[in-house]
Amino acid sequence: MKFAGTESYVATEDLTVAVNAAVTLERPLLVKGEPGTGKTELARQVAQALGVDMLEWNIKSTTKAQQGLYEYDAVSRLRDSQLGDERVHDVKNYIRKGKLWQAFEADSKLVLLIDEIDKADIEFPNDLLQELDKMEFHVYETGETIRAKHRPIVIITSNNEKELPDAFLRRCFFHYIRFPDVETMKKIVEVHHPGIKEQLLTTALTQFYEIRDQGGLKKKPSTSEVLDWLKLILAEDLTAEDLRRDGADALPKLHGALLKNEQDVHLFERLAFMARRQR
């Protein structure tokens, strides 16, 4: 099973090496990178390229590791016992399988995405160490042990919101998705907006990277945002000439697709004001 990217996902050579190394080592692939660089989409494309199903576990600040294994609904069982429901005699009726359980009992290998693991409590990664290592866990309510029929391809994403424990990192194959350079970005754009005029694309990307390089920016625009911006530019039928700015107009056309908070908008407005005063 080798991953080499797909028609709809431009994977750099170092990324394909990382995916295939994790598959070979049977280790979770920990993917870091700034938001919008395609970390979540990578898991979907790996599943598509390898011809396997995918399970997605989206992590929130309140998510506990136990939820990935199973949850026991004791409250419902107590209520049913008070109502004389026959279901109460089988505890399995009150166990809800988590994403890891579903992945472990799958009849064939699949991709398990654990998305944005850094959103959870700091203990969350450590609480999954044994299950991801041994590919099994114990269900105390039934006394059974759930073992993986086929070791899933585990892809874990992180936006670097908090540091992950060393013990967890040792068990993963790590890859950091660098922000695409101009040539890689052109390939990505071609996938999403095939046939875009070269002059328009060059002008737009020049502006985009100038914005990203601007000092004092609170949130740099991402790959997904430049794709949205280009979609709007094409929908408005703007030309390269329409996009060109002078010092008095530092904000790009349709800037709401790129700048997502008032501080960054004000930054470019101040730059334009300063440019006008210097004239």
Side-chain angles (χ1 to χ4, degrees), residues 94-136:
Y94 303 93
I95 289 178
R96 184 165 60 247
K97 298 176 181 179
K99 296 295 184 181
L100 263 72
W101 189 331
Q102 294 173 42
F104 286 6
E105 71 176 5
D107 292 326
S108 59
K109 183 179 284 288
L110 50 70
V111 170
L112 172 63
L113 169 63
I114 304 177
D115 201 24
E116 298 189 332
I117 194 171
D118 52 326
K119 280 188 175 180
D121 182 87
I122 190 62
E123 290 302 320
F124 180 92
N126 280 336
D127 291 342
L128 287 178
L129 286 180
Q130 181 169 320
E131 288 76 16
L132 291 177
D133 229 10
K134 295 186 175 181
M135 286 286 146
E136 66 177 45

Side-chain angles (χ1 to χ4, degrees), residues 210-245:
E210 285 175 353
I211 291 170
R212 277 188 57 86
D213 292 340
Q214 177 61 51
L217 207 61
K218 185 176 181 181
K219 181 194 177 303
K220 294 182 178 183
S222 67
T223 305
S224 60
E225 286 159 342
V226 75
L227 293 174
D228 286 347
W229 185 49
L230 287 167
K231 183 177 181 179
L232 288 173
I233 288 171
L234 293 171
E236 294 290 329
D237 200 22
L238 300 180
T239 65
E241 191 61 37
D242 293 328
L243 293 184
R244 290 198 174 92
R245 303 171 294 169

Side-chain angles (χ1 to χ4, degrees), residues 5 63 119 167 240 242 254 256 278:
T63 304
K119 280 188 175 180
D242 293 328
L254 303 165
Q278 291 171 3

Side-chain angles (χ1 to χ4, degrees), residues 11-40:
T12 56
E13 183 179 353
D14 58 343
L15 179 56
T16 59
V17 168
V19 171
N20 291 319
V23 172
T24 300
L25 292 172
E26 296 188 326
R27 294 277 190 182
L29 173 63
L30 174 61
V31 185
K32 287 188 178 183
E34 62 181 85
T37 47
K39 300 185 297 297
T40 301

Side-chain angles (χ1 to χ4, degrees), residues 25-219:
L25 292 172
E26 296 188 326
R27 294 277 190 182
L29 173 63
L30 174 61
V31 185
K32 287 188 178 183
E34 62 181 85
T37 47
K39 300 185 297 297
T40 301
E41 186 61 24
L42 171 65
R44 300 190 181 103
Q45 297 300 326
V46 168
Q48 179 183 320
L50 301 183
V52 299
D53 292 330
M54 189 187 93
L55 279 175
E56 186 170 349
W57 186 14
N58 296 300
I59 307 303
K60 302 177 182 178
S61 59
T62 56
T63 304
K64 302 298 181 186
Q66 179 64 32
Q67 293 171 300
L69 309 180
Y70 67 93
E71 291 182 274
Y72 170 54
D73 191 350
V75 174
S76 291
R77 193 181 188 195
L78 175 61
R79 184 190 64 234
D80 287 351
S81 68
Q82 292 170 339
L83 296 173
D85 194 318
E86 286 300 314
R87 296 173 70 251
V88 76
H89 299 297
D90 188 352
V91 69
K92 290 183 179 179
N93 290 324
Y94 303 93
I95 289 178
R96 184 165 60 247
K97 298 176 181 179
K99 296 295 184 181
L100 263 72
W101 189 331
Q102 294 173 42
F104 286 6
E105 71 176 5
D107 292 326
S108 59
K109 183 179 284 288
L110 50 70
V111 170
L112 172 63
L113 169 63
I114 304 177
D115 201 24
E116 298 189 332
I117 194 171
D118 52 326
K119 280 188 175 180
D121 182 87
I122 190 62
E123 290 302 320
F124 180 92
N126 280 336
D127 291 342
L128 287 178
L129 286 180
Q130 181 169 320
E131 288 76 16
L132 291 177
D133 229 10
K134 295 186 175 181
M135 286 286 146
E136 66 177 45
F137 64 90
H138 188 70
V139 182
Y140 296 99
E141 289 76 10
T142 65
E144 61 185 324
T145 298
I146 306 301
R147 295 184 177 88
K149 295 180 182 178
H150 305 275
R151 180 178 283 265
I153 299 166
V154 181
I155 297 179
I156 303 169
T157 72
S158 168
N159 287 329
N160 256 346
E161 290 185 10
K162 60 170 71 84
E163 288 296 317
L164 299 173
D166 288 346
F168 180 78
L169 294 174
R170 281 198 301 272
R171 289 166 169 81
C172 298
F173 190 93
F174 173 76
H175 181 73
Y176 183 85
I177 296 183
R178 295 180 180 86
F179 196 82
D181 58 25
V182 175
E183 290 308 311
T184 304
M185 185 65 79
K186 285 183 176 180
K187 294 177 183 176
I188 294 171
V189 171
E190 181 61 30
V191 168
H192 294 270
H193 304 297
I196 189 170
K197 291 179 180 177
E198 180 66 27
Q199 188 178 11
L200 176 62
L201 179 58
T202 299
T203 302
L205 290 185
T206 299
Q207 283 192 23
F208 172 70
Y209 281 98
E210 285 175 353
I211 291 170
R212 277 188 57 86
D213 292 340
Q214 177 61 51
L217 207 61
K218 185 176 181 181
K219 181 194 177 303

